[in-house]
Amino acid sequence: MEYKLKTIGVLTSGGDAPGMNAAVRAVTRAAISNGIAVKAIYRGYKGLMDGEIQTFSSENVSGIIQRGGTILRSARSEEFKTAEGRKKAYETIRKEKIDALIVIGGDGTFTGARTLAQEYNIPIIGIPGTIDNDLWGTDATIGYDTALNTIMNCVDILRDTATSHERVFLVEVMGRDAGFLTLNAALASGAETAIIPERTTIMEQIEEAIGQGRRKSKGTSIVLVQEHAIEGGAQAVAKMIEKAHPEYGTRVTILGHLQRGGSPSAFDRILASRMGIAAVQALLEEQRSVMVGLQDGEITYVPLSKAIKEKKDVKADKWQALQVLSI
Ligand code: ATP
């Protein structure tokens, strides 16, 4: 389809992630510097359906690079999953004369984008913004590095207080279906082990972790548990330990939404800035239905279909490292 790129729409959707603002800023300024108008869409697909839209100038994105969350707000919308919902979204796109969309979000956001693009032949570019880092085709997603650092700092603080003997501290970490955050945070914080969906040998790992901890007379063991590695999360693991080893005390900390907040790290700000510019560039090159990725330090483009469908596995050497380092 021939189209003139005069106006782009930008939205953030799904779970918010630190660095989304930096991406919105980069998209806005890259577009404006190429003579393209920017319409900011509030509350993700919900705002697209409801027409919650504001034309952005460069000043609208001033002073936001350091702010967590997203100034555009995010939302989850069941209605957008229906054909009627997407029709409403398309009506807004036509009414607002939006020629192309840039969507910042995760797996669900891209699934919705792909369907909308197919149904209405709209150019859409995805920017991976999720703390989970669970998208195929990119080494990092915006927000992941900040969340990783937040978790590491929380575990460091917990470790300071974890002085009593024979206690197992279980820290529940987010991540949807993926263990990247949990495994990497465990490595960074020197935890005894990580319970992740990709490797599930829970009791064996616990026995090993506690056993080794005792051999070294560490007293305290720190175990990171991915929220969905087991039904019931860290609480469920605590129950398993208490049943098998009534002599141990367990302490559960659920980090919850702490992990989503905070000022983005330098890495996330730079990544978001590069990806925002690259998303506009993709539209100028008439690419469609691709996600901007980062591979070996370079910006790449990956079909949305692949980013959604393919499964990224945790790195085997990192898993090994955790075992080696917890003796
Ligand atoms: P995160 O990984 O941080 O949770 P996400 O983008 O995966 O982010 P979701 O809540 O799964 O977050 O998806 C965001 C929105 O995308 C949903 O609220 C919905 O509007 C839309 N969406 C998700 N799945 C689909 C689908 N299968 N078809 C159409 N739209 C969808």
Side-chain angles (χ1 to χ4, degrees):
M1 186 192 81
E2 276 291 310
Y3 79 99
K4 263 210 126 29
L5 188 60
K6 285 195 195 138
T7 305
I8 60 167
V10 59
L11 60 82
T12 53
S13 159
D16 60 317
M20 278 183 164
N21 283 328
V24 171
R25 171 180 178 268
V27 166
T28 303
R29 293 195 170 160
I32 289 171
S33 66
N34 280 289
I36 302 164
V38 178
K39 293 209 172 174
I41 301 153
Y42 287 88
R43 292 186 175 77
Y45 293 130
K46 188 173 183 318
L48 186 59
M49 289 183 301
D50 299 344
E52 267 192 84
I53 289 171
Q54 184 188 351
T55 300
F56 262 18
S57 66
S58 186
E59 288 77 46
N60 289 102
V61 292
S62 290
I64 64 167
I65 195 168
Q66 78 285 9
R67 281 167 60 184
T70 159
I71 60 160
L72 297 186
R73 310 287 178 88
S74 191
R76 301 198 197 261
S77 165
E78 282 306 310
E79 194 184 352
F80 187 75
K81 292 185 183 173
T82 66
E84 300 83 73
R86 290 190 298 275
K87 186 160 178 277
K88 270 171 78 176
Y90 179 63
E91 280 160 10
T92 306
I93 288 172
R94 283 197 55 180
K95 185 166 157 260
E96 297 284 341
K97 296 192 167 43
I98 292 171
D99 302 309
L101 276 181
I102 293 177
V103 298
I104 306 166
D107 192 62
T109 300
F110 294 166
T111 307
R114 200 168 156 250
T115 311
L116 185 71
Q118 280 171 344
E119 286 173 343
Y120 295 102
N121 198 20
I122 304 160
I124 305 186
I125 307 297
I127 297 180
T130 164
I131 65 166
D132 303 335
N133 198 23
D134 56 350
L135 288 159
W136 187 89
T138 188
D139 296 338
T141 56
I142 297 166
Y144 169 67
D145 182 69
T146 305
L148 191 54
N149 279 286
T150 303
I151 298 163
M152 180 188 74
N153 289 330
C154 288
V155 176
D156 286 352
I157 294 167
L158 258 182
R159 197 185 277 285
D160 286 345
T161 72
T163 48
S164 297
H165 283 270
E166 293 175 13
R167 268 191 190 160
V168 184
F169 279 79
L170 297 151
V171 183
E172 188 175 295
V173 175
M174 281 181 171
R176 301 249 291 200
D177 303 327
F180 301 104
L181 261 184
T182 311
L183 175 59
N184 285 285
L187 268 175
S189 58
E192 266 60 47
T193 191
I195 311 278
I196 58 174
E198 292 87 345
R199 311 274 189 282
T200 46
T201 53
I202 300 177
M203 253 350 258
E204 270 169 52
Q205 280 177 250
I206 294 287
E207 293 295 348
E208 191 115 316
I210 298 173
Q212 287 175 352
R214 277 170 72 74
R215 261 202 304 282
K216 265 175 60 177
S217 35
K218 271 194 209 168
T220 298
S221 300
I222 294 183
V223 175
L224 267 52
V225 183
Q226 202 272 10
E227 58 183 349
H228 296 128
I230 170 176
E231 208 183 319
Q235 297 283 8
V237 178
K239 287 205 180 85
M240 287 167 81
I241 295 173
E242 280 163 14
K243 200 164 167 219
H245 292 284
E247 71 275 23
Y248 294 131
T250 57
R251 295 288 182 274
V252 173
T253 303
I254 296 172
L255 297 180
H257 283 80
L258 268 180
Q259 296 161 90
R260 281 195 197 277
S263 181
S265 65
F267 180 90
D268 277 332
R269 295 182 199 192
I270 295 166
L271 180 67
S273 300
R274 292 175 78 192
M275 285 183 161
I277 293 170
V280 173
Q281 190 58 39
L283 288 173
L284 289 168
E285 289 167 5
E286 299 189 18
Q287 296 203 61
R288 4 173 99 219
S289 293
V290 294
M291 177 193 83
V292 181
L294 182 80
Q295 287 170 20
D296 300 325
E298 299 297 328
I299 292 289
T300 54
Y301 298 105
V302 189
L304 279 181
S305 53
K306 276 195 152 187
I308 300 161
K309 281 210 187 92
E310 308 272 340
K311 192 103 179 103
K312 189 162 79 174
D313 197 7
V314 293
K315 296 243 183 296
D317 73 293
K318 290 189 176 175
W319 180 250
Q320 292 298 336
L322 190 61
Q323 320 307 317
V324 171
L325 299 176
S326 66
I327 55 168

